[in-house]
Amino acid sequence: SIPPKQILDRRCWFVFIIVLVILCSGAFAQIRYSISEEVQEGTIVGHIAKDLGLDKSALTGRGYRIVTGSTESLFQVNQNDGILYVKRRIDREEVCERSSACTINLKTVLENPLEIHYVAVEILDINDHSPVFPEKEKRLEISESALPGARFQLQAARDPDVGQFAIQQYKLSHNEYFRVEVKDRGKDHKIPFLVLQKQLDRETNEKHKLRLTAVDGGKPAKSGDIEITVDVLDINDNSPVFTKELYSATLKENIPTGTVVIQVNATDLDQGANGEIIYSFGNEVDPKIMELFSIDANTGEIHVTGKLDFEKSTSYEIDIQASDKAHVPLKTGKSVVITVADVNDNAPEIEVTSFSSSIKEDSKIGTTVALISVTDLDSGINGKVICAIKQGVPFTLSPSLQENMYAIVTISQLDREITSQYDVTIIAKDSGEPPHLTEKTISVVISDVNDNSPEFSTSPYTFYITENNSPGASVFAVTASDRDENDCARVSYHIIRDGSEDNKISSFLNINSDNGEILALKSFDFETLKTFQFKVVASDSGTPPLSNNVTVNVFILDQNDNAPVILYPLTSNGSAQGVEEIPRNVNAGHLVTKVRAYDADIGYNGWLLFSLQEVTDHSLFALDRYTGQIRTLRSFTETDEAEHKLLILVKDNGNVSLSATATVIVKLVEPKEAFASSDVKSTAKDDEDNNGNVSLSATATVIVKLVEPKEAFAASDVKSATKDDEDSNVIFYLMITLGAVSVLFLVSIIVLIAMQCSKSTDYTSKYLPETNYDGTLCHSIQYRSGEKRYMLVGPRMSIGSTIVPGSHANTLVLPDRRQHLPRFYS
């Protein structure tokens, strides 16, 4: 025994150590509680604050809580008094399964300042589960030959509780043949064994009923039961015996599968499994026979499971055996003989012994395509075969010297372009009853020979090309196809260049020999060339090659690429400038002059409009928009200037308008001096617009000069100083002067008329006059297509023609005239 003083010293040291640990740990402490499982929610586990020595006032506002993980906590702490409660029902078997010790560790936190306290709650087990067996009933089979002391393992019961509440023992109901033994495997795991105490006798008692009970260590104890039935097995001491000495049957070879051939039967004097018979084939039976027949293990019926063939085997001898179902079965063997009767069950077979899969389309009639042989495994009339070919193909069967050998030959001319492949169906039919028929199809491909020339998709071709095309660019393409195939259908193209006058233009064309795409090597000009024609040849690559040609008609379409040209006024040095003299006393509407212009383009591109760009006095002159006529708007007064300059703009109606300008100077003179020569000045300039297109223009300025009568042109300067008091001589000289001026005026009129006539004659030699001209200038181009002639004109064409449906918007049908002339402004 330990002295009391030593015990007291040890207690003091223990208290000292506890105080020291608390002081050293600062804000950390750990408390341990225990609580039974299945307590009600809200059950107090412990006073954490009190056990830690904390005042309730010290908990206020410090957020006392339990730090939980991802799962919901089983406990909660009151922030005001620090008491730990059960939050929800706790099942120890669910939380800790079968662990012997079940402890839940909690981490509680106080803030301001931070304090962490660890709380361990041990969950105590209660006896809330009864032992349970996996099955309600268990059957055991024990042979009557089993010796005493034999052990038979039983299924153990399960109890989720642990410790003293787990299964403690097994009890067996009272009987004289069995007892129970328990083997302890640790961790509350006990295995029951059924031990045989006395020899069993099936003839005395073939079945034993037992009850096994599992009991736990609770107070009061809980238990679970299982019913055990022991079946006593008989000892096998009798062999099966067949009821017949010989089993035999006869079948037709076409008998359907599943048919019962024969049934064998055997008996056994034993009881139970020892007396139950099962039937099977013998161990030495050929596997091929087992594919044709099967035996029912329970009834002994033999069934047909495969296709019987008399030609392969006329009879079958099958070894069968009968055995009981004992653990060590006894067996008895017997033979069954099955005879097969012949029927017509084989269809003829067609075999292609030699076959040419392709034949040329120019092959002669009678050419052999394939050799075939026909066989039938049946004999006699069942093996006699008749062959033929289905109609609709240019082939027939030709019999050979050897029996059942045939040749497939052609009976008509072949044409691959009509039919490139034939499916030849050969029919073989035997003479049995019922007869069997076999069909076999072979595909015969007709190979190509070069017997078709290339064919153009259109003949002749007609193409329209806009002038000013890009040199080297593709303008159009021709296409030809060949009904042959492979090299015989590979078409190449070339242009015929024979050097004739009509084909000179073809030297400016190039064609892609592979696809027929035609490229222009130069830029065409509508004003120079309107239409041309050439020929293209398409050749295949066969041997020998075949070819075909086509005529290509090409029409050049106009573009607005020509600026208007001023024809009048026009000076000798080419300037578009002229001087017109008119009497001062002309009336309103007097024709001063007419600006004439020409555009080499046609249609809208050659339709010209006139406008005044600059004029000295807008109230004096007017310009007709369509004719280019300049007329006076009113009579002249003494205050009007003697010379006027007019700038006239002439432009076409193309998408991108081109223009020219002319200058006309109008001088006002006395009537006798009204006629004068005109100087034409022309200015031309090329302006490039914002789109990069070039706009051509020329300027014509009209200057009108008003001359006082006393300043009119005369042979000499006449100044009158006559006074009211002069004598008659002055009047005489005045009359002579007036007469001279009148003569000069008449001479000027005659000269002017002669000059105008001379100009008109000169223009007529170059341009086509038009009597019904309405002021709109249009260019035209005629061309022929088949039996019709066409003319491309502008929208104000004065020729009485009709528009051809389906043609271009500017295409008119004309009478058949061989000449065509451009129309000009005059």
Side-chain angles (χ1 to χ4, degrees):
S1 61
I2 302 173
K5 182 178 181 182
Q6 189 175 354
I7 293 174
L8 182 61
D9 292 341
R10 288 185 179 181
R11 289 179 178 177
C12 292
W13 276 106
F14 180 72
V15 173
F16 175 75
I17 291 172
I18 292 175
V19 173
L20 183 62
V21 169
I22 293 174
L23 293 176
C24 293
S25 61
F28 300 95
Q30 183 171 4
I31 306 173
R32 187 178 185 88
Y33 300 104
S34 62
I35 187 173
S36 297
E37 64 173 332
E38 304 293 344
V39 297
Q40 296 295 325
E41 296 180 7
T43 301
I44 297 176
V45 179
H47 296 266
I48 299 177
K50 180 178 179 181
D51 294 338
L52 292 174
L54 299 175
D55 241 351
K56 290 184 180 181
S57 60
L59 300 178
T60 304
R62 297 187 64 182
Y64 194 29
R65 69 184 185 279
I66 297 174
V67 179
T68 61
S70 59
T71 59
E72 184 181 359
S73 177
L74 299 173
F75 303 94
Q76 65 181 2
V77 64
N78 191 312
Q79 295 185 2
N80 298 320
D81 55 15
I83 296 177
L84 184 65
Y85 296 91
V86 174
K87 187 176 182 181
R88 61 185 179 88
R89 188 182 68 83
I90 301 173
D91 185 354
R92 182 185 184 282
E93 287 73 30
E94 177 184 347
V95 176
C96 300
E97 295 183 353
R98 294 186 60 83
S99 300
S100 58
C102 182
T103 303
I104 299 176
N105 294 311
L106 306 176
K107 181 166 67 174
T108 62
V109 177
L110 278 170
E111 298 178 352
N112 301 320
L114 178 64
E115 292 185 19
I116 299 175
H117 304 286
Y118 294 94
V119 178
V121 180
E122 181 182 4
I123 308 301
L124 302 178
D125 189 25
I126 63 174
N127 191 22
D128 56 344
H129 294 89
S130 299
V132 177
F133 285 93
E135 298 175 342
K136 294 294 184 182
E137 184 177 351
K138 177 69 175 177
R139 298 187 72 90
L140 293 177
E141 292 182 349
I142 301 176
S143 174
E144 61 180 336
S145 61
L147 299 176
R151 296 162 58 90
F152 304 93
Q153 183 175 340
L154 303 175
Q155 287 184 326
R158 294 287 182 266
D159 191 334
D161 296 325
V162 296
Q164 63 177 351
F165 302 121
I167 297 174
Q168 300 298 321
Q169 61 178 334
Y170 287 93
K171 296 179 181 179
L172 187 65
S173 60
H174 178 73
N175 68 94
E176 60 178 318
Y177 292 98
F178 299 95
R179 60 184 174 84
V180 66
E181 291 184 359
V182 178
K183 184 177 181 180
D184 193 349
R185 293 185 177 178
K187 296 186 178 180
D188 302 327
H189 194 54
K190 294 178 172 59
I191 305 299
F193 286 86
L194 191 65
V195 181
L196 182 63
Q197 298 183 119
K198 182 179 179 182
Q199 183 82 35
L200 298 176
D201 186 0
R202 188 192 68 80
E203 288 72 23
T204 303
N205 191 355
E206 63 180 6
K207 186 178 295 185
H208 299 270
K209 292 284 188 178
L210 305 175
R211 178 183 295 275
L212 180 65
T213 304
V215 183
D216 64 17
K219 293 182 180 180
K222 293 186 176 183
S223 62
D225 299 332
I226 182 173
E227 295 291 336
I228 299 175
T229 301
V230 178
D231 294 321
V232 180
L233 301 180
D234 185 30
I235 297 175
N236 188 24
D237 53 356
N238 291 283
S239 298
V241 177
F242 283 97
T243 58
K244 290 184 179 181
E245 291 295 327
L246 179 64
Y247 290 94
S248 63
T250 300
L251 302 174
K252 290 184 177 181
E253 60 176 333
N254 62 349
I255 191 169
T257 58
T259 302
V260 177
V261 179
I262 194 172
Q263 182 178 14
V264 296
N265 187 29
T267 59
D268 193 320
L269 298 178
D270 292 325
Q271 294 182 352
N274 295 333
E276 295 180 6
I277 307 298
I278 57 175
Y279 303 92
S280 64
F281 288 126
N283 296 329
E284 303 299 326
V285 174
D286 191 339
K288 292 183 179 180
I289 295 179
M290 298 177 67
E291 293 177 359
L292 300 176
F293 302 97
S294 65
I295 187 169
D296 190 299
N298 297 319
T299 63
E301 292 179 344
I302 298 177
H303 298 265
V304 177
T305 57
K307 183 175 177 57
L308 302 180
D309 193 349
F310 174 82
E311 287 71 28
K312 292 182 180 180
S313 180
T314 59
S315 65
Y316 300 93
E317 185 174 353
I318 307 173
D319 292 332
I320 61 172
Q321 61 182 11
S323 62
D324 55 30
K325 296 182 180 180
H327 289 288
V328 181
L330 299 178
K331 301 178 181 180
T332 301
K334 186 67 69 173
S335 293
V336 177
V337 178
I338 299 175
T339 303
V340 180
D342 185 29
V343 294
N344 184 27
D345 61 342
N346 290 285
E349 295 182 359
I350 302 172
E351 181 183 1
V352 179
T353 58
S354 179
F355 174 52
S356 177
S357 60
S358 65
I359 181 173
K360 290 187 176 181
E361 60 179 324
D362 60 350
S363 298
K364 295 180 179 180
I365 296 175
T367 301
T368 300
V369 177
L371 297 176
I372 64 170
S373 64
V374 181
T375 58
D376 193 323
L377 294 178
D378 294 323
S379 59
I381 193 171
N382 293 335
K384 188 176 180 179
V385 180
I386 301 173
C387 291
I389 287 182
K390 278 189 177 180
Q391 296 181 355
V393 294
F395 301 96
T396 189
L397 281 178
S398 176
S400 175
L401 296 177
Q402 187 176 353
E403 188 180 4
N404 291 336
M405 289 288 295
Y406 300 89
I408 301 176
V409 297
T410 59
I411 58 174
S412 64
Q413 196 66 44
L414 304 176
D415 189 350
R416 190 202 66 82
E417 285 70 38
I418 297 177
T419 305
S420 62
Q421 178 177 318
Y422 290 96
D423 292 329
V424 181
T425 302
I426 306 156
I427 302 173
K429 180 180 179 182
D430 63 23
S431 302
E433 188 61 38
H436 290 279
L437 183 143
T438 301
E439 293 185 358
K440 187 177 184 66
T441 301
I442 61 174
S443 295
V444 180
V445 177
I446 310 303
S447 61
D448 188 37
V449 295
N450 193 24
D451 57 347
N452 291 281
S453 301
E455 296 180 0
F456 286 93
S457 58
T458 304
S459 181
Y461 279 97
T462 300
F463 295 104
Y464 297 89
I465 305 175
T466 304
E467 64 173 332
N468 302 320
N469 56 292
S470 301
S474 173
V475 288
F476 48 81
V478 297
T479 304
S481 59
D482 196 315
R483 296 174 62 194
D484 297 321
E485 63 179 2
N486 299 330
D487 288 342
C488 298
R490 188 177 295 112
V491 180
S492 61
Y493 304 86
H494 71 273
I495 297 174
I496 297 177
R497 308 182 195 273
D498 55 7
S500 63
E501 187 68 25
D502 294 338
N503 289 323
K504 283 185 178 180
I505 195 65
S506 63
S507 61
F508 297 105
L509 301 174
N510 193 13
I511 188 169
N512 188 316
S513 61
D514 295 327
N515 56 26
E517 190 176 64
I518 297 175
L519 294 80
L521 303 179
K522 62 169 287 185
S523 180
F524 295 108
D525 184 7
F526 173 82
E527 288 71 32
T528 304
L529 179 66
K530 305 293 188 298
T531 181
F532 63 90
Q533 184 183 86
F534 64 95
K535 290 186 177 181
V536 175
V537 177
S539 303
D540 60 28
S541 301
T543 304
L546 301 178
S547 63
N548 197 358
N549 62 69
V550 68
T551 300
V552 180
N553 297 310
V554 181
F555 296 93
I556 310 301
L557 301 180
D558 185 37
Q559 277 190 333
N560 191 24
D561 59 343
N562 292 280
V565 178
I566 304 298
L567 302 179
Y568 181 82
L570 188 67
T571 61
S572 58
N573 61 358
S575 301
Q577 181 173 344
V579 178
E580 298 290 340
E581 294 182 350
I582 62 173
R584 178 181 287 273
N585 59 352
V586 296
N587 295 324
H590 175 74
L591 176 63
V592 178
T593 186
K594 183 176 182 180
V595 178
R596 298 177 176 85
Y598 162 75
D599 195 319
D601 297 320
I602 66 168
Y604 281 99
N605 297 331
W607 182 21
L608 301 183
L609 297 176
F610 300 84
S611 61
L612 273 174
Q613 292 296 102
E614 296 180 9
V615 63
T616 306
D617 190 343
H618 288 280
S619 66
L620 286 176
F621 301 99
L623 174 65
D624 189 284
R625 177 177 178 82
Y626 302 107
T627 65
Q629 294 179 352
I630 302 175
R631 295 182 180 273
T632 58
L633 293 174
R634 61 178 176 81
S635 300
F636 296 101
T637 63
E638 294 183 356
T639 59
D640 292 328
E641 296 181 1
E643 183 174 293
H644 294 268
K645 180 179 179 181
L646 284 73
L647 181 64
I648 294 93
L649 174 67
V650 184
K651 67 176 182 178
D652 57 29
N653 280 271
N655 289 332
V656 179
S657 296
L658 303 179
S659 61
T661 57
T663 302
V664 177
I665 299 175
V666 181
K667 293 183 179 181
L668 301 183
V669 298
E670 289 300 322
K672 62 182 179 179
E673 299 171 347
F675 297 98
S677 61
S678 62
D679 296 331
V680 180
K681 299 180 182 179
S682 174
T683 62
K685 63 179 179 177
D686 295 340
D687 297 326
E688 185 170 352
D689 59 15
N690 294 333
N691 296 325
N693 297 319
V694 176
S695 176
L696 305 178
S697 64
T699 304
T701 305
V702 180
I703 300 178
V704 181
K705 184 176 181 182
L706 301 181
V707 182
E708 293 295 331
K710 63 182 179 180
E711 298 173 352
F713 292 100
S716 61
D717 296 332
V718 180
K719 298 181 180 179
S720 178
T722 307
K723 299 180 181 179
D724 293 338
D725 55 351
E726 287 183 343
D727 55 11
S728 60
N729 290 333
V730 175
I731 296 173
F732 175 76
Y733 291 124
L734 181 58
M735 293 177 63
I736 293 175
T737 302
L738 291 175
V741 170
S742 299
V743 172
L744 181 60
F745 177 76
L746 292 175
V747 172
S748 299
I749 291 294
I750 294 171
V751 172
L752 182 58
I753 292 173
M755 291 177 62
Q756 293 295 331
C757 292
S758 175
K759 291 180 180 179
S760 300
T761 302
D762 183 56
Y763 293 148
T764 304
S765 62
K766 296 181 180 179
Y767 307 101
L768 177 66
E770 185 178 356
T771 57
N772 296 326
Y773 174 62
D774 61 357
T776 302
L777 299 184
C778 298
H779 200 53
S780 64
I781 173 66
Q782 300 181 24
Y783 61 90
R784 180 185 297 274
S785 177
E787 296 300 326
K788 296 183 179 180
R789 294 177 56 80
Y790 298 92
M791 185 179 206
L792 301 177
V793 297
R796 294 177 63 86
M797 180 74 180
S798 61
I799 299 175
S801 305
T802 59
I803 297 179
V804 178
S807 65
H808 293 278
N810 296 334
T811 304
L812 304 179
V813 177
L814 295 181
D816 188 9
R817 296 185 300 173
R818 296 300 180 184
Q819 296 181 352
H820 62 278
L821 296 174
R823 297 175 53 199
F824 303 95
Y825 293 94
S826 59

